[in-house]
Amino acid sequence: MRRPTNSTWRRATMIAVTVVCLAYAPIAMTELRPYARPGAPALGEWVMGRVVSPHYVTDALANRIAPYGHSLVPMIVHSVLGGTLVLLGPAQLLTAAGHRTRLHRALGVVFAVTVYVSMAGAGIYLARTAPEDAFSGAAFWIVLATLLVGTVLSVTFGILAAVRGLLDLHQRWMLLCYGFLLTAPLLRLEWGFLPRLLPGLTMEQINQVAITHLGLVVTFGALVASRARDRRTTVEGVSGSWAPLPVLAVAQLAGAAALLWIAYSYLDFGATGRRLLWAYLLPYAVGYVAMAVNARRAGRQGRRWAQEEWRLHLTALGLAPVLSIVAGPVFQHALGLDRLTALTAGVAIGCGMLAFAATTVVSLRVVRAREVQAGENRSVSGDRREAAVAGAVRRGSPGSVN
């Protein structure tokens, strides 16, 4: 049997993402109809009632009425445009792959404007809702706010990169932005899947489980997609590493110590703590191994740029638990949260924020390399001009002394 090639995997992944987006878009666009018109049908509610149970859906609907009630119009705008965005994402990827530049740019403008308006709706909801009053509680509110900021900054940096002609960085930032947007359909998949794996949990409890790893899942997916589209062995002007082995080793040791602290803290909360701990640790371990293997493979194959990018993200992933254990107490004291909620909020934002930081560092590497290369080119050009003038003088050009 023939082994699947990289192009086969990329095609299969693209098809899977497109199918998920096509299925999610109508769900997102009709999700808030029962809140605007009680009793009105909603596709997502209908599907979830058959996949899990009507009680599961009814309970979730009742718990969301109050938080959504005073921000219903902004939330409808956010939800409808969110469904539009997940459809625009595959369209953008296809137009980029097909080199349909004009269409890609036109859809890109629509995508960016839609992101800003959709996130404005979410921002109004978050501003009007106290963290403890949000659906699924304060940890979920913190994650939503972090996603909002990450999505807006990613699309903004993507636009700036395109304007400057840094198309490789534009691609990375837009894939990261789209990854953040995909947390919505992936969360719905977990609403349907996790009750079978963890029976008896409410949707609010499912949300608490999901946020511990969704940030890692979507940012890792964005990284894999970026690396799949960037086949360069080296990048002009890039030399050495910003993540040498000593830095990488210190980051991993600090991360290991922080992971032990997180595990010890979660074990204080019995079955709930163990459930949240495993929901965080298993995806983290898979992501860590995948990054380490890819970095090592790229090094052995002499693909220095790929190795550098994997190592920068591996360093960030190692430091993510460190950020989490620092953020937890800050949330606990600043927002008056209980220890478990603050810990979960810290864990939930760590991987996503550090992946964003790693993408920023990769961007700085590329920008710095281009500046160095431009300086070298100017220097070479100047040397050539000086050599040309000197040669003209030696040949006795007009204006020279014989």
Side-chain angles (χ1 to χ4, degrees):
M1 185 176 175
R2 226 168 102 183
R3 187 176 177 183
T5 62
N6 286 338
S7 60
T8 302
W9 282 115
R10 285 197 295 270
R11 194 177 299 112
T13 302
M14 184 64 195
I15 292 171
V17 170
T18 303
V19 168
V20 168
C21 292
L22 288 172
Y24 171 70
I27 291 175
M29 293 176 178
T30 61
E31 187 172 31
L32 296 180
R33 287 183 66 189
Y35 302 91
R37 292 173 53 198
L43 181 58
E45 182 182 339
W46 180 85
V47 171
M48 206 58 62
R50 279 149 184 78
V51 171
V52 186
S53 73
H55 174 74
Y56 177 76
V57 176
T58 302
D59 181 55
L61 182 66
N63 290 334
R64 286 194 286 182
I65 288 175
Y68 289 175
H70 55 277
S71 302
L72 190 56
V73 172
M75 284 300 293
I76 290 174
V77 170
H78 170 68
S79 186
V80 171
L81 294 184
T84 305
L85 286 169
V86 296
L87 293 177
L88 287 172
Q92 282 295 80
L93 290 173
L94 290 171
T95 54
H99 304 289
R100 303 182 68 178
T101 306
R102 287 186 178 179
L103 181 57
H104 182 77
R105 287 175 179 170
L107 289 176
V109 172
V110 175
F111 182 89
V113 172
T114 306
V115 166
Y116 289 132
V117 177
S118 176
M119 293 303 115
I124 292 171
Y125 161 72
L126 291 171
R128 290 179 175 177
T129 307
E132 62 273 13
D133 294 334
F135 175 61
S136 297
F140 200 71
W141 186 97
I142 290 169
V143 171
L144 292 177
T146 306
L147 277 172
L148 186 154
V149 174
T151 303
V152 170
L153 288 180
S154 295
V155 76
T156 302
F157 292 160
I159 292 169
L160 294 175
V163 169
R164 293 190 60 181
L166 302 170
L167 299 185
D168 52 340
L169 298 185
H170 167 73
Q171 176 180 276
R172 280 166 172 76
W173 283 115
M174 297 311 291
L175 284 169
L176 183 61
C177 174
Y178 193 60
F180 287 144
L181 292 171
L182 284 180
T183 53
L186 291 178
L187 179 61
R188 271 64 179 181
L189 288 175
E190 298 211 19
W191 284 356
F193 168 71
L194 286 182
R196 296 179 179 274
L197 185 64
L198 302 167
L201 297 187
T202 66
M203 190 178 288
E204 290 188 61
Q205 291 170 320
I206 294 295
N207 282 341
Q208 297 302 316
V209 171
I211 62 174
T212 61
H213 55 256
L214 273 181
L216 170 62
V217 170
V218 297
T219 54
F220 179 72
L223 173 59
V224 171
S226 296
R227 289 295 337 133
R229 294 184 60 82
D230 187 351
R231 305 190 183 171
R232 295 172 296 177
T233 301
T234 58
V235 171
E236 230 180 332
V238 171
S239 60
S241 175
W242 284 10
L245 284 177
V247 171
L248 190 60
V250 169
Q252 307 318 304
L253 289 173
L259 282 174
L260 288 174
W261 188 91
I262 290 171
Y264 179 80
S265 299
Y266 265 133
L267 292 176
D268 284 345
F269 298 99
T272 299
R274 288 193 297 272
R275 180 172 64 240
L276 295 174
L277 176 61
W278 285 115
Y280 172 64
L281 281 183
L282 288 178
Y284 184 95
V286 171
Y288 182 92
V289 171
M291 287 187 193
V293 168
N294 278 289
R296 185 174 179 83
R297 181 183 298 156
R300 286 180 172 178
Q301 294 173 350
R303 295 182 293 118
R304 299 304 174 193
W305 172 239
Q307 181 187 34
E308 174 70 354
E309 189 165 8
W310 283 114
R311 284 175 65 164
L312 287 170
H313 277 271
L314 187 60
T315 301
L317 184 62
L319 293 174
V322 178
L323 173 64
S324 295
I325 67 171
V326 172
V330 172
F331 292 146
Q332 183 176 354
H333 296 294
L335 300 176
L337 307 181
D338 63 86
R339 186 162 158 256
L340 177 60
T341 301
L343 173 64
T344 301
V347 163
I349 67 169
C351 293
M353 288 187 66
L354 265 295
F356 184 95
T359 305
T360 303
V361 174
V362 169
S363 300
L364 292 174
R365 281 237 68 179
V366 172
V367 170
R368 175 60 180 161
R370 302 238 174 145
E371 290 175 349
V372 170
Q373 192 62 32
E376 291 177 354
N377 291 340
R378 285 194 296 269
S379 177
V380 169
S381 179
D383 291 343
R384 287 175 178 170
R385 282 196 299 270
E386 290 177 5
V389 171
V393 169
R394 284 196 298 272
R395 289 193 301 271
S397 63
S400 65
V401 178
N402 291 319

